Amino acid sequence: MTTEPTEPTGPTGPAGPAEPAAASGGGGARAWLRERSELGVCLLLFALGVLVLTDALTMDVDIAQRGPIGPRTVPFVVGAGLLLVGALLAVDVLRGGRGEAEGGEDVDLDEPADWRTVLLLTGVFLGAAVLIGPLGFPIAGALLFWGAAYALGSRHHDRDPLIAAGLSLFTYFVFDNLLGVPLPGGPLMGVL
């Protein structure tokens, strides 16, 4: 029995023929990055963390400083948290971790967007931004919270304004009195 010699089709190695790598034109790095696209999220988290920390370091706090915990505390915690989460995510991705595909969401992608809700929320946010100067934060915040609840579908006309007013006053007192971040009080400045 005789065997006929076969012609080699190209260089081979442990992975087989090397033709696909040559045909891609140096796309190895691009393919590596495409497989680890979560690194883009890591970069975004790093950039946001650096931005928040830089902003906290350049903040003028002489006016609002009322103790050891001042207006810089929360930005420092948030910025450090963003850097930490970005670093942990990068390590996980480089070790081969992959994000799971979304399978548990009950979203019908064939349905059109609910533009009425989007436009109502946009109007509520813009209205609150315009009204915060003349009316102050407690009133503008209450209108913001109530308008957002209405835009998102709540129709409890007796309960929603009371909850919105309570949330707005609570937020005002936390920022103005506890954190030392002055918010405009508007006509209620003398009362509050």
Side-chain angles (χ1 to χ4, degrees), residues 31-158:
W32 186 85
L33 285 173
R34 188 173 295 129
E35 291 174 4
R36 290 160 185 84
S37 61
E38 291 93 348
L39 290 175
V41 176
C42 299
L43 288 175
L44 178 66
L45 291 173
F46 280 127
L48 285 175
V50 168
L51 177 69
V52 169
L53 288 175
T54 304
D55 196 34
L57 289 171
T58 59
M59 185 185 298
D60 184 26
V61 294
D62 293 337
I63 297 171
Q65 187 71 30
R66 295 186 184 177
I69 297 178
R72 285 187 177 178
T73 305
V74 172
F76 275 127
V77 170
V78 170
L82 286 168
L83 291 177
L84 178 67
V85 169
L88 292 175
L89 180 61
V91 168
D92 181 53
V93 169
L94 292 174
R95 287 184 174 175
R98 306 242 345 152
E100 293 182 23
E102 293 185 34
E105 298 231 5
D106 189 20
V107 176
D108 187 7
L109 297 176
D110 296 330
E111 289 292 319
D114 185 8
W115 288 107
R116 179 183 178 273
T117 302
V118 172
L119 291 175
L120 279 172
L121 281 174
T122 303
V124 166
F125 283 120
L126 290 176
V130 169
L131 295 175
I132 198 167
L135 296 181
F137 184 83
I139 296 173
L143 292 173
L144 171 71
F145 292 136
W146 176 76
Y150 180 82
L152 293 173
S154 178
R155 296 298 181 260
H156 298 281
H157 299 296
D158 53 343

Side-chain angles (χ1 to χ4, degrees), residues 132-140 172 176 182-192:
I132 198 167
L135 296 181
F137 184 83
I139 296 173
Y172 177 78
D176 197 55
L183 294 175
L188 298 177
M189 188 62 120
V191 177
L192 299 176

